Amino acid sequence: MTTAPSPTRSDVEPTNALDRFFEISKRGSTIGTEIRGGLVTFVTMAYIVILNPIILSGSADVAGKTLDFSAVGAATALTAGVMTILFGLITRLPFGFAAGLGINAFVAFSVVGQVTWPEAMALVMINGLVIVLLAATGLRKMIFDAVPFQLKIAITVGIGLFIAFIGFVNSGFVTSTGSASPPVGLGVGGSVATVPTVLFIATLIITGVLVARKVKGGLLIGLVSGTVLAVIVEAIWHLGAAADGNEGGWGLTVPALSGSPFGLPDLSLIGAVDFGFDFSKVSLVAIVMIVFTLVFSNFFDAMGTMTGLAKEADLANENGDFPRIKSALVVEGVGAIIGGGTSSSSSTVFIESGAGIGEGARTGFANLITGGMFLLAMFLTPLTSIVPTEIAAAALVIVGAMMMAQIKYIDLTEFSVLLPVFLTVTVMPLTYSIANGIGAGFVSWVLVQAFSGKARRISPLLWIVAAGFVIFFARGPIEALFGVA
């Protein structure tokens, strides 16, 4: 079996207390590089301040109540800023935090159909408490250690494809056809037909050339260049937002400023949670299944993401372990608690952090920059939203390509390894879920290895986790069996 090389370390002595605390020189980085990486991570994550309110405020709960868009936006930025800084200070790792896309969609489209918004956020907090307990007792790390090396690498590669697919979709380069076959296609009617998508391609090429030529700040320069082009194009052609009925308009954000760029944040949703569940309207079984789904999604999405990012940053050893891993897993659980407490949904490590890592970020100092920008975003929403998702998408595709390179560390000559790796890598982007990809990999690894006479390779914990994923995948029929609405 081929293994990944151990993380490299610089022999340069730290120059000051800041350098010593974050191990900047030790990891072969510089303050300037960390600042650039932190900025790039923020730019690629900034869309969540707009997208999370769109998702959460667009659904009414069982009582017919909705969340205020601006209040969700402010809570999202505040939580992302606090959690990103906290994670950077405690773990010294360059992983940004924000509202998890898979979890917020589950809460908005499934959970609030059974409970109120305050009750839904209480369930998110309970999920976080369970995650913290698992991490603090070491069980989460034990499960992490039970995962075979090949699957850990496959998770990294799968996340890379997932990141790239998100970029293609956000840019309009890949769209839904509305047909059973093919389900997705190129652009509009099989061709690139909108200006925003053309600018995505231009930004992708510009950034790709800069990265290929090893230009320092290549990702950031590419993002800024693409944004400037977008602002110029919008000023000339006034494309507007596609949501306003403008065919060929911008996706989530229009690259133009109007009115004052400043505004006081609405923090009215902080603390708007309710643990007093009305069991006459929702069953205990339903509550348990909701928490089970939240925990599984949160647990394995974060584990997979952190593994992939640590590998990309060259901070993980041959077993996939990285510095202060237990602290990282605990703080990630805290993100769910704080996210629920602010009604912004579970805050978790973001795969877009790979953009900052690709720019050279290697320490938690980059998180101070990213987190600080999110805190500023509470007051500067117009400036935050000036970067179109089509432009940010180009960086995601570049990072996805970088992460794809990790596949070289897996020996795929044995089919009992190849199939679980293949399923892990492909199911993630095709189902738009990191947890689904990990689950497919775990279940197939256990079954294929066991029935091909290699059961000794399987850790007892992996059997338990695989069984849990079987329940996770079958939760719909299970809920129906118990009469859950």
Side-chain angles (χ1 to χ4, degrees):
M1 179 184 70
T2 304
T3 58
S6 299
T8 58
R9 293 291 184 267
S10 172
D11 294 329
V12 179
E13 291 296 323
T15 58
N16 51 50
L18 183 69
D19 188 354
R20 188 177 303 108
F21 180 80
F22 286 108
E23 302 177 339
I24 297 175
S25 296
K26 183 178 179 181
R27 297 182 185 177
S29 185
T30 65
I31 290 180
T33 300
E34 295 298 306
I35 292 175
R36 286 198 307 272
L39 287 173
V40 167
T41 294
F42 169 75
V43 170
T44 56
M45 289 177 62
Y47 71 88
I48 196 63
V49 179
I50 304 298
L51 182 57
N52 198 42
I54 289 175
I55 293 173
L56 295 184
S57 66
S59 297
D61 62 17
V62 291
K65 303 293 184 180
T66 59
L67 300 180
D68 179 74
F69 185 96
S70 60
V72 175
T76 300
L78 173 64
T79 306
V82 170
M83 282 306 308
T84 298
I85 292 173
L86 181 66
F87 189 83
L89 290 173
I90 293 177
T91 71
R92 325 290 209 268
L93 296 169
F95 305 165
F97 268 64
L101 283 176
I103 295 177
N104 65 0
F106 174 66
V107 171
F109 304 136
S110 298
V111 177
V112 296
Q114 305 175 67
V115 297
T116 65
W117 272 111
E119 289 171 340
M121 292 306 168
L123 291 173
V124 172
M125 294 185 71
I126 292 173
N127 149 67
L129 289 170
V130 173
I131 294 294
V132 169
L133 181 62
L134 290 173
T137 57
L139 183 58
R140 194 177 188 184
K141 178 64 168 57
M142 289 172 62
I143 296 173
F144 179 86
D145 289 339
V147 179
F149 167 81
Q150 295 95 326
L151 287 185
K152 288 178 181 177
I153 296 296
I155 289 169
T156 302
V157 177
I159 290 174
L161 292 182
F162 185 33
I163 289 175
F165 190 55
I166 289 174
F168 287 132
V169 171
N170 287 353
S171 67
F173 190 80
V174 171
T175 57
S176 172
T177 62
S179 303
S181 181
V184 295
L186 174 66
V188 179
S191 64
V192 176
T194 68
V195 173
T197 303
V198 171
L199 289 180
F200 155 76
I201 296 172
T203 305
L204 179 64
I205 298 301
I206 292 171
T207 308
V209 170
L210 291 171
V211 172
R213 294 180 66 89
K214 303 186 184 303
V215 174
K216 287 187 176 181
L219 275 170
L220 182 58
I221 294 172
L223 287 169
V224 172
S225 300
T227 301
V228 170
L229 287 174
V231 170
I232 294 173
V233 166
E234 176 60 23
I236 296 173
W237 282 299
H238 305 288
L239 300 176
D244 295 334
N246 301 313
E247 187 176 352
W250 302 96
L252 293 176
T253 56
V254 177
L257 286 175
S258 59
S260 174
F262 304 100
L264 293 176
D266 179 356
L267 303 178
S268 59
L269 289 177
I270 295 178
V273 296
D274 181 8
F275 290 90
F277 304 107
D278 186 350
F279 291 108
S280 66
K281 296 181 179 179
V282 59
S283 69
L284 179 60
V285 174
I287 293 295
V288 171
M289 288 305 299
I290 289 172
V291 173
F292 179 85
T293 303
L294 285 171
V295 169
F296 255 74
S297 298
N298 217 145
F299 188 108
F300 288 102
D301 270 15
M303 188 190 79
T305 301
M306 284 194 277
T307 300
L309 292 175
K311 281 287 184 183
E312 181 65 19
D314 197 25
L315 295 174
N317 63 18
E318 64 276 5
N319 296 318
D321 292 335
F322 50 88
R324 300 179 180 87
I325 185 171
K326 184 174 182 179
S327 297
L329 296 174
V330 170
V331 176
E332 195 278 328
V334 172
I337 299 173
I338 294 180
T342 59
S343 292
S344 60
S345 185
S346 177
S347 182
T348 186
V349 62
F350 245 56
I351 52 179
E352 283 83 351
S353 304
I357 291 172
E359 187 57 45
R362 293 295 180 272
T363 79
F365 184 75
N367 273 33
L368 302 189
I369 306 302
T370 304
M373 293 300 294
F374 269 117
L375 295 180
L376 285 176
M378 290 193 301
F379 304 90
L380 301 169
T381 301
L383 289 180
T384 303
S385 61
I386 195 174
V387 180
T389 52
E390 291 85 355
I391 301 303
L396 301 185
V397 175
I398 294 292
V399 171
M402 292 176 175
M403 297 180 73
M404 179 69 186
Q406 294 287 333
I407 195 72
K408 65 185 177 183
Y409 296 120
I410 307 178
D411 183 354
L412 297 174
T413 56
E414 189 177 326
F415 193 77
S416 62
V417 172
L418 173 60
L419 182 60
V421 167
F422 174 76
L423 291 175
T424 301
V425 170
T426 56
V427 170
M428 279 190 201
L430 293 180
T431 65
Y432 231 62
S433 169
I434 294 173
N436 286 347
I438 295 174
F442 283 11
V443 173
S444 61
W445 178 277
V446 167
L447 293 178
V448 173
Q449 294 286 334
F451 287 104
S452 59
K454 300 166 184 172
R456 291 184 178 181
R457 291 185 177 183
I458 308 169
S459 163
L461 267 177
L462 201 61
W463 278 99
I464 297 173
V465 173
F469 265 115
V470 171
I471 297 173
F472 175 76
F473 289 137
R475 63 190 183 278
I478 291 174
E479 290 175 353
L481 179 64
F482 285 95
V484 179

